Structure formats: C-alpha cells, structure tokens
Amino acid sequence: MDAVPALDEPLKKVLGPATAKVMAEHLGLHTVGDLLHHYPRRYEERGQLTHLADLPMDEHVTVVAQVADARLHTFASSRAPRGKGQRLEVTITDGSGRLQLVFFGAGVHKPHKELLPGTRAMFAGKVSVFNRRLQLAHPAYELLRADSEEAVESWAGALIPLYPATAKLESWKIGKAIQTVLPSAQEAADPLPETLREGRGLLPLSEALLKIHRPHTKADVEQARARLKWDEAFVLQVALARRRHADAQLPAVPRRPRPDGILAAFDDRLPFTLTEGQRKVSEEIFADLATDHPMHRLLQGEVGSGKTLVALRAMLAVVDAGGQAAMLAPTEVLAQQHHRSVTEMMGELAEGGMLGGAENATKVVLLTGSMGAAARRQALLDLATGEAGIVIGTHALIEDKVQFHDLGLVVVDEQHRFGVEQRDALRGKGKQPPHLLVMTATPIPRTVAMTVFGDLETSVLDQLPAGRSPIASHVVPAADKPHFLARAWERVREEAGKGHQAYVVCPRIGDEEDGAKAKKRSPEDEAEKRPPLAVLDIAEQLARGPLAGLRVEVLHGRMQPDDKDAVMRGFAAGEADVLVATTVIEVGVNVPNATVMVIMDADRFGVSQLHQLRGRVGRGSAPGLCLLVTEMPEASGARQRLNAVASTLDGFELSRIDLEQRREGDVLGQAQSGTRSSLRMLAVIDDEEVIAEAREEATRIVAADPDLERLPALRTALDALLDEEREQYLEKG
C-alpha cells in the first residue's frame, strides 16, 4: 500500500503541479490538510434533482439533471459564411424546471455524441440569460454512469458532494482530488480536548472528515458538520480567550475624572441632555477606565447615535486624570472632520495655552500624513511635552517618530479598517498599556461581535438623539423605468429649491485609473459589459443636463487633502447644492442641511456601505430621502438586497441580512482587517449557540491552562490559525 501523505504535504507532490497551482491560486489551498478542510457546499442525492427553477443569475453553479432533448443547428456567420457554423442546444430537466445548454463550433462534437436524451450528468457553468431564458454556455459536464464497479459503488444511493468550485476547476475534479488524499484524514490531530468532545457527543476529527466527504446518509453529514463547526468556533474562541487573558494580566493606570475638571465643564456647556443610552454607555466606559488593567471595549451604534460624543467624554475623563487620548481615524477627510467637530463641541476648552482659553482647557491637535513640516513639528512637540491632551489623526499616529507624554486612551474609529496589529502598534506608545475604545458605525449582530471582536467587551448605542429626522428610502430601477430616474433628479431640484443640499455617490472616480484596474472586471461587470458609473462623468452630465443651474461640486480620494477639505468645508457652509462623490463621504461627514442621498449603481455597494451612506442625510430637522439607483433586473439577488435596505432603517437587522447573503468569510475577513476568515463550516448568524458555548469552554480552558501545555493538539491548531492570519497581514502590508 502507498504511504499516506502527511497533512502538511504540499499538494503539488500529491496531485501534480498543474492542479495544485489552480487550487492555490483560485481556492487558497496549499497542503493536503487544506484540501481536507475544503468541505462540500451541499450534496445531491442520486435520485433527487437540483431545483433548476431556483438558479441564481451570474453565478457559477453545479447541477445534476437529465437530458430531455438535444438539437444540432447549422447557421451562417462571419467565420462560417456558407452556413457551416454549428450550435448544439441541449435541454436538461430536473422536474422543477428546464435549462438550456449551448455549445458552439468545434465544441459541439463531444457533447453531441454523449448528451443523448435520458442521460444523467453533473453540469457546471455560469448562469446567463439569452432571449429572456436562463442558459449555461459551454458548461463542463461529468456523465453519471453506473456501469463500472467503482462508479456503481460511489454513485448508487450515495450522496454526491458538490464543492465550492471555480471555472478553472469543477466540483467533481475537486471531489476526485479529495478522494486521493482522504486516507490522510486518519493522521489529523484532534484539537478538541477529549472530555469536551465526549461530553458533547461529538465525533473524533478523523471520522468527521471521512463523513463530510464520503457520507452514506444525511445523518453522517449532520454529525460531521456539528463536529467541524465546533472545531472552528472553539479554536477561534481559544485564540480570543488567550488574548483577553493576556490583556487582563497587563497593568494600566486607572483614570478617574475630577469632579470639577474639564469633563464637568464640557458637560455644563452641552446645549442638550444626553440620551439614556449615551449615559449608560458612558458609565460602562468610566467604570472600565477606573480599573488597573486596560479597558478593551467595542462601542457600536447606529449612524448618528452620538458615538463621537461618548468617545469625546471618555477622552476628557482621561485628560482630567492627567493622561492623553488619541483618536485614530481611517481617512484624512474623517480625521479633519473629527478634529473640527471636537474643537467646535469643546469651544474654549480646546484652547489650552492660548489667549481666551478656559482655565482647565487642553490643546486638541491634528496629525495626518499630508500636513506641512512646520505644523507637523509643532503637533509632535505638543504631544511629547503633554501640552496637547487630545490628538486626532490617521495612520500617521502609529509612526515611530510620534512620542506621547502619557498616553492613557486610544479611540479607534471605524474598526473594520484597522487590524489588530495596528491597534497594538498604537497601544505600544504608552508607558503602560493605554485603555482602548473601538467605535464602529456598522452595527454588528451579537454573534459576530463575539466572533470577530471576541477580545473586546461590547456596548451598544441603539437610541437616536432627539431631533433626528426619519429617512425615506426607495429603489429607482433606471433600466426598467427610466422616468423614475428623471423624477429622482426633479426631487433633487425641489430640495435645492427649499435651500437644502444633496449628495450623489458613484462607485468610481473616472479618468481612469490605470489600465490594469479597468481590465479586472467583476462578474457583474462582465454581465453588464459596462464599467461602474464615475464621479467625473456623472457630475458633468448632471451639471449640463437635469441639474443645470445648480452648483455641483466633486469630491474623491485622488484629490489633494487640502482640496478635499476645502470642498467639504464649502459644502458644509452651503456653498454648493450638490456634491458628487465616491464613498469618501461614507463615514463621519456631518452636514445637517443635506436631505437627499442619490446612490448610482447602488447594487455595486455592500449593504452596510449603503446604510452608512444613507446615514449622511436626515441629520437636521428636515426629513431625509435616499434613492438607490440600479439597472439590475427585478428578479436579481442585487435588487432583493436593495429592497431590503430600502425596507428598514435598523442597522442591526441589515447586518443580519448582509451576513445571510454574503459568505461570513468576507465579513470576518473585512472586520478582522488584515486577517482571513478561517470559517468554512460555521455560519456566524445561524450558529449562535455553538459560538456562545465554545466561548464559555474556551474561557474555562484558558483560565486553567493559559499556555495550553496539557493540550498540544489544540496548540498546533491555534498556531495554524494565527500563522495564517500573520501571513495574510504581512501580505496585505
């Protein structure tokens, strides 16, 4: 018998270089172990057919079906002018619906011989529409014969695993590769402690791997899934529990505000009272700041729920206690915006050391990469001497040159843009580890918070302050109903006539963007054969056409920081009626007079992004209006997503919808920022119980054995998870 390949054996040694290369490039699989953990997406039963009626547009699918009929047509074309062009049309059925397959040219000969009526096969390809009917053009296929011994055994009554595949590598080829390495599953070290596994009635890992890839019954699949979900949840929660445990061992300086200090003076000058939610969350934060180990708290809340105010009060509490606070923002526009709103809210309290400054005032400095040398030198000096109690900046804050007198609190805005390592780099600037407050404006369901930000305690602001106006949202189907789009521009003119302002957001800047970017198109682009709409083009069309006579300005990421700031200030001051922009306005931009948000090609944005953008209007006393413009057809998944956004203003509800529609991998990958999701089996939304239980078990095990000395297999699994994250982080730089 051949030797069983080890789990860390590179795939090119086992499967050959060509297949291994495709697996590495398209599926991220490099070793035998990686391939064993590439689980089937679903299973087909030999006697049961896929629902052809439910096929998604523009997606790569694998279906099991029977040939109903096959017809060969000849036609004349530029390549075959004498009527010698050939097209084979094959109709397949599964009882629920029919689907047409088409083959052209020399590609017709083999399927013409093999795909005879009555033949059953697996077909894989991308679903497209031709003459208003769904079709697969040139699909790959594998006949399901039961004539050879092996085929009889593997197909008769067995479940057919369908794997996440790519156009370069069909599901059945992945299945064959997995059969080759399956004996190695016996070598898999089991990360779950035996007592835990037996106590919860879970399969051993080697058995779960066999059953997930070669199930005989549906019960096999269920048992295997239950076990593999536990692995993912548990290993991830152990990583987070160890991080929490290590953080809890660190010393920190307790920071308590003085009763007559800058915080009290700030509260006295607020022109409104805090909401119940803001008060409750502030108390949680102050309690954490008063302890002698570092606070790690996630503050999440709806767009406009007043997170910045809560964060500013925390920063002032630390300044009261003699420390400094740093706020890290993802973009220069946002850093400048925060700096402006913080100094405005604080008034003379932000004028420390200046004439007219209040007696317990401090200095609030801005630090970004594009500042002039003199301003930058002064800001660095104010931080090093302690003259500045608060600094607001971008990644420039993490640089080696930046020294603090006594850094007591780090506030990170829009967490999903910063990786754990960047958080650590800034925290390393304190004499002792500073307290950490992370803010996110994208509401996250509790389970995701437990999985992604498991090293943080969570506070939620779910009340909007009084005086915020409702926002009406509508989908504008530009292709089906062009008059709806014309009406949208009329609405913008009407609002401008009342003295209000509007945003128009586009996915792209225009005057593109080096050829390489333009060539790499997403599947949707390929389907539409049109690049996303661009700021520069749309601004020009609007200014000449439907919005002629209004003051139209543009804002995008390639402008110089000073120009961007000037445009934003001008817009905030009412010097323009319409701002045509990219998503640079997605977070933190506050113009209470703006009442309309028109999002062009809205289907090209994620759900949480659309929710963020919508939050830019309705910030004053006048009601807001958000128009989601799309050319996608009514039945498409993209339209359903937009309908969901239009139907609710609840960000937590939308984040659930978002998660259900995307694979968690994207969500976790994005939220961890610089780390790839290791979740293949766990569905963060559906497996709330598993995650909560795994968190309890992980916390218990880490408390008893922080270095996992008694659990070597768990240590190995953990190293694999964290190594992968570190590698990803380094690759992303």
Side-chain angles (χ1 to χ4, degrees):
M1 184 184 146
D2 293 343
V4 171
L7 294 181
D8 54 5
E9 184 88 25
L11 285 173
K12 60 171 175 270
K13 287 192 177 172
V14 186
L15 303 175
T19 307
K21 184 168 187 252
V22 176
M23 285 194 170
E25 285 176 7
H26 294 273
L27 297 168
L29 308 175
H30 303 278
T31 65
V32 168
D34 291 346
L35 183 54
L36 284 174
H37 287 291
H38 186 71
Y39 308 132
R41 179 170 283 159
R42 57 194 174 86
Y43 301 84
E44 284 300 348
E45 288 174 72
R46 178 116 210 276
Q48 182 194 46
L49 296 160
T50 327
H51 288 305
L52 291 181
D54 307 334
L55 287 182
M57 268 287 292
D58 290 335
E59 280 191 28
H60 201 86
V61 297
T62 304
V63 295
V64 176
Q66 192 159 354
V67 176
D69 68 49
R71 294 181 186 167
L72 191 62
H73 302 273
T74 53
F75 60 91
S77 72
S78 56
R79 288 187 188 167
R82 295 208 184 94
K84 292 283 170 57
Q86 290 192 311
R87 180 174 80 246
L88 176 66
E89 289 179 5
V90 178
T91 306
I92 58 173
T93 178
D94 68 350
S96 78
R98 296 164 87 81
L99 178 66
Q100 188 153 19
L101 316 177
V102 287
F103 300 88
F104 293 101
V108 305
H109 305 308
K110 186 167 175 272
H112 190 216
K113 284 209 297 274
E114 294 182 335
L115 297 179
L116 305 171
T119 308
R120 286 172 50 82
M122 284 200 278
F123 301 93
K126 190 171 156 189
V127 184
S128 58
V129 172
F130 182 71
N131 278 347
R132 297 191 164 260
R133 287 167 65 193
L134 292 182
Q135 69 168 26
L136 296 181
H138 283 283
Y141 63 87
E142 171 94 335
L143 301 178
L144 299 185
R145 295 194 184 94
D147 44 12
S148 70
E149 265 314 296
E150 182 197 22
V152 170
E153 195 180 351
S154 64
W155 297 118
L159 295 166
I160 304 168
L162 297 184
Y163 289 91
T166 74
K168 294 260 166 51
L169 198 63
E170 292 87 14
S171 168
W172 52 86
K173 289 185 182 160
I174 296 171
K176 284 177 180 165
I178 285 173
Q179 294 301 342
T180 307
V181 301
L182 206 49
S184 304
Q186 298 301 335
E187 309 295 307
D190 200 322
L192 289 194
E194 201 164 330
T195 49
L196 188 159
R197 198 183 76 225
E198 287 173 356
R200 294 190 173 272
L202 297 167
L203 296 178
L205 179 58
S206 52
E207 197 179 325
L209 288 172
L210 283 173
K211 284 188 168 174
I212 201 80
H213 293 299
R214 287 187 86 160
H216 291 297
T217 62
K218 287 183 176 170
D220 284 353
V221 175
E222 286 314 303
Q223 286 181 317
R225 280 190 168 149
R227 162 63 216 243
L228 296 166
K229 279 180 180 181
W230 250 94
D231 272 20
E232 288 179 5
F234 180 69
V235 175
L236 190 58
Q237 291 300 341
V238 168
L240 294 166
R242 289 188 71 197
R243 196 177 161 84
R244 280 199 305 278
H245 185 270
D247 285 338
Q249 311 307 308
L250 296 171
V253 180
R255 310 278 179 176
R256 294 184 185 86
R258 297 200 312 276
D260 57 348
I262 190 169
L263 175 62
F266 174 76
D267 283 350
D268 288 345
R269 53 168 289 141
L270 277 179
F272 50 81
T273 53
L274 298 176
T275 65
E276 188 52 43
Q278 286 171 329
R279 265 205 298 279
K280 181 175 125 304
V281 169
S282 288
E283 277 160 22
E284 291 171 352
I285 291 171
F286 292 151
D288 282 359
L289 289 173
T291 61
D292 55 9
H293 57 84
M295 163 171 87
H296 287 106
R297 193 164 278 281
L298 172 69
L299 169 59
Q300 54 166 335
E302 278 294 1
V303 179
S305 57
K307 291 182 299 296
T308 311
L309 176 62
V310 169
L312 176 54
R313 293 185 74 235
M315 295 198 285
L316 294 173
V318 169
V319 172
D320 257 351
Q324 290 169 294
M327 182 186 245
L328 193 57
T331 64
E332 297 215 347
V333 166
L334 199 51
Q336 287 161 338
Q337 181 97 19
H338 276 318
H339 181 253
R340 213 162 32 242
S341 61
V342 164
T343 47
E344 278 165 16
M345 277 197 270
M346 287 174 64
E348 71 271 16
L349 293 173
E351 294 168 4
M354 297 185 218
L355 282 172
E359 76 181 276
N360 48 7
T362 187
K363 216 173 187 182
V364 180
V365 298
L366 176 69
L367 188 66
T368 64
S370 65
M371 284 168 74
R376 187 181 173 77
R377 255 198 316 276
Q378 185 59 51
L380 290 173
L381 185 65
D382 288 341
L383 287 178
T385 59
E387 185 82 11
I390 294 178
V391 59
I392 295 170
T394 54
H395 285 81
L397 282 175
I398 301 176
E399 289 172 11
D400 295 343
K401 289 199 270 304
V402 182
Q403 301 290 326
F404 288 86
H405 176 64
D406 179 13
L407 180 60
L409 170 68
V410 173
V411 178
V412 179
D413 187 20
E414 279 310 295
Q415 159 63 17
H416 61 261
R417 320 241 177 144
F418 291 104
V420 165
E421 285 83 356
Q422 289 155 307
R423 264 162 41 185
D424 286 350
L426 189 51
R427 278 165 45 189
K429 299 211 171 271
K431 294 191 176 81
Q432 282 195 323
H435 299 283
L436 174 72
L437 179 65
V438 169
M439 299 197 295
T440 172
T442 310
I444 306 170
R446 174 176 160 266
T447 36
V448 184
M450 272 167 39
T451 309
V452 180
F453 302 114
D455 57 333
L456 304 172
E457 298 298 323
T458 305
S459 295
V460 176
L461 273 178
D462 44 14
Q463 269 177 307
L464 287 188
R468 291 300 296 263
S469 303
I471 305 171
S473 307
H474 303 284
V475 177
V476 178
D480 313 351
K481 300 178 177 164
H483 59 286
F484 276 36
L485 183 58
R487 176 73 189 115
W489 301 128
E490 279 172 27
R491 285 291 291 117
V492 172
R493 292 195 82 96
E494 285 163 17
E495 288 297 310
K498 294 180 197 164
H500 294 307
Q501 293 160 283
Y503 297 101
V504 177
V505 174
C506 303
R508 207 165 55 101
I509 296 173
D511 77 4
E512 233 57 295
E513 279 153 58
D514 56 41
K517 273 195 197 157
K519 281 195 193 86
K520 280 189 86 170
R521 290 183 160 189
S522 71
E524 287 89 345
D525 295 354
E526 281 302 331
E528 293 186 42
K529 293 289 182 277
R530 141 172 116 54
L533 294 171
V535 166
L536 300 175
D537 306 340
I538 292 289
E540 196 180 326
Q541 288 166 23
L542 291 176
R544 283 211 312 263
L547 302 185
L550 296 184
R551 298 164 301 169
V552 177
E553 285 283 352
V554 299
L555 179 70
H556 57 74
R558 285 213 305 275
M559 290 164 63
Q560 290 302 315
D562 290 350
D563 297 343
K564 278 194 281 203
D565 198 40
V567 168
M568 253 340 292
R569 277 175 190 263
F571 187 66
E575 291 162 16
D577 302 305
V578 179
L579 185 62
V580 183
T582 54
T583 52
V584 290
I585 61 154
E586 179 186 349
V587 283
V589 172
N590 189 20
V591 180
N593 189 43
T595 53
V596 191
M597 166 67 68
V598 182
I599 304 174
M600 307 302 291
D601 276 347
D603 46 275
R604 312 223 181 192
F605 297 96
V607 169
S608 58
Q609 233 181 351
L610 293 170
H611 183 56
Q612 277 291 323
L613 288 166
R614 170 169 61 189
R616 300 301 111 215
V617 295
R619 299 175 83 83
S621 52
L625 173 65
C626 176
L627 301 173
L628 306 166
V629 180
T630 177
E631 292 187 359
M632 293 304 270
E634 180 118 32
S636 63
R639 271 287 278 284
Q640 288 160 10
R641 214 172 62 228
L642 296 180
N643 291 338
V645 174
S647 68
T648 178
L649 290 171
D650 180 343
F652 285 92
E653 176 57 28
L654 283 176
S655 64
R656 285 189 85 89
I657 292 169
D658 196 15
L659 266 178
E660 281 158 8
Q661 291 188 337
R662 289 160 44 178
R663 293 202 343 277
E664 266 92 11
D666 312 339
V667 177
L668 294 179
Q670 178 197 27
Q672 289 286 68
S673 181
T675 63
R676 181 164 85 84
S677 161
S678 56
L679 301 193
R680 297 177 177 86
M681 187 59 77
L682 197 67
V684 172
I685 283 288
D686 303 334
D687 297 320
E688 187 152 353
E689 246 167 72
V690 177
I691 292 168
E693 288 172 14
R695 184 180 169 117
E696 274 172 37
E697 293 275 13
T699 308
R700 192 173 54 73
I701 282 168
V702 169
D705 180 8
D707 293 330
L708 308 178
E709 282 167 0
R710 298 190 288 281
L711 298 166
L714 176 54
R715 272 204 76 109
T716 307
L718 203 59
D719 291 343
L721 175 77
L722 298 177
D723 258 8
E724 185 175 87
E725 291 191 348
R726 269 203 295 277
E727 261 172 35
Q728 290 289 111
Y729 180 72
L730 292 172
E731 277 170 27
K732 288 191 177 179

